[in-house]
Amino acid sequence: GEEVAQTPKHLVRGEGQKAKLYCAPIKGHSYVFWYQQVLKNEFKFLISFQNENVFDETGMPKERFSAKCLPNSPCSLEIQATKLEDSAVYFCASSLNPGGLREPQHFGDGTRLSIL
Amino acid sequence: AQSVTQLGSHVSVSEGALVLLRCNYSSSVPPYLFWYVQYPNQGLQLLLKYTSAATLVKGINGFEAEFKKSETSFHLTKPSAHMSDAAEYFCAVTNSNTGNQFYFGTGTSLTVIP
């Protein structure tokens, strides 16, 4: 598609439950990024993929968080045993490969995760 | 290390007045710089980008930004504010050392007063 599609828009989980978020990048985009926006105005980088391979995972919490980008499937971000502090809006972005660093990232509308 | 500082978390302007949103960056190598806008409950929309071509960059919705290496700045401007410009604005930097990762500023909330 022409837009980054994130599902669901809202996700509510009880503390300790699992949460799984999905992202379909723009068709033809090789790079996928996940960001966490906890407060209204802070974006924290989590992880990036180049096709199905992890490109940079320096922002991923070592425990509980995992992500995948498998061929012919939406990318996913999974949080095990959620905690209250995981409540945030999670954004996915994609970009073209050929332009490399000069290419902008195109963002989805985010998934709002609420942990109760 | 790479980082972005956006001075002024909140900016208010009157409708029709000049909009100036400040962004200063830190980058150990030549940067690529971007401005994004976020409307409520939406993702980020690209306004414009600097990728080492012209230093004055024109974007959508009448916005432009000028890359000033000597000042390490990339301020966003618009000559005349519209009510529809009210939103959150983010400056971001990346470079060849960041592995395509974007570093975002903390955002500036723009209010337009009728």
Side-chain angles (χ1 to χ4, degrees):
Chain A
E2 293 298 316
E3 295 181 345
V4 175
Q6 288 189 249
T7 57
K9 286 190 180 301
H10 302 278
L11 185 59
V12 180
R13 288 287 180 266
E15 197 173 9
Q17 292 184 318
K18 181 177 72 176
K20 195 164 185 178
L21 291 60
Y22 296 92
C23 168
I26 293 173
K27 190 176 180 181
H29 282 194
S30 302
Y31 285 90
V32 171
F33 306 80
W34 285 99
Y35 293 88
Q36 181 193 54
Q37 188 182 31
V38 175
L39 300 173
K40 183 185 166 187
N41 49 10
E42 276 195 41
F43 282 86
K44 178 190 173 188
F45 168 77
L46 295 175
I47 190 169
S48 62
F49 289 84
Q50 182 180 13
N51 297 311
E52 62 267 27
N53 303 308
V54 173
F55 190 75
D56 181 350
E57 57 181 349
T58 53
M60 279 289 266
K62 296 300 181 187
E63 298 175 350
R64 302 188 300 109
F65 282 64
S66 62
K68 294 179 185 177
C69 276
L70 300 175
N72 302 314
S73 298
C75 295
S76 63
L77 175 68
E78 188 167 349
I79 308 172
Q80 303 286 342
T82 53
K83 299 182 178 180
L84 295 176
E85 67 245 33
D86 297 333
S87 295
V89 181
Y90 291 83
F91 286 99
C92 175
S94 70
S95 70
L96 281 170
N97 180 43
L101 296 164
R102 303 179 183 195
E103 287 298 316
Q105 294 182 13
H106 299 264
F107 283 78
D109 286 343
T111 292
R112 182 176 297 279
L113 176 63
S114 298
I115 306 302
L116 306 178
Chain B
Q2 291 69 228
S3 67
V4 166
T5 301
Q6 291 184 241
L7 290 176
S9 57
H10 298 276
V11 171
S12 292
V13 299
S14 297
E15 193 175 12
L18 171 72
V19 175
L20 171 61
L21 305 182
R22 298 178 186 276
C23 172
N24 287 88
Y25 69 90
S26 171
S27 178
S28 52
V29 297
Y32 302 120
L33 294 156
F34 303 81
W35 274 100
Y36 284 86
V37 60
Q38 186 181 30
Y39 297 102
N41 300 314
Q42 293 186 21
L44 298 177
Q45 179 182 0
L46 180 69
L47 280 176
L48 48 79
K49 63 179 180 179
Y50 167 75
T51 56
S52 74
T55 56
L56 181 62
V57 181
K58 293 188 184 299
I60 62 171
N61 302 339
F63 284 93
E64 61 182 38
E66 186 172 8
F67 173 71
K68 291 187 178 180
K69 184 179 178 180
S70 61
E71 299 178 6
T72 61
S73 69
F74 190 57
H75 302 329
L76 182 70
T77 60
K78 181 174 180 178
S80 176
H82 292 170
M83 296 299 295
S84 60
D85 294 328
E88 193 83 19
Y89 291 81
F90 292 90
C91 183
V93 65
T94 188
N95 62 42
S96 58
N97 290 342
T98 68
N100 280 15
Q101 179 188 152
F102 276 32
Y103 290 84
F104 285 90
T106 52
T108 298
S109 178
L110 176 66
T111 299
V112 181
I113 303 167

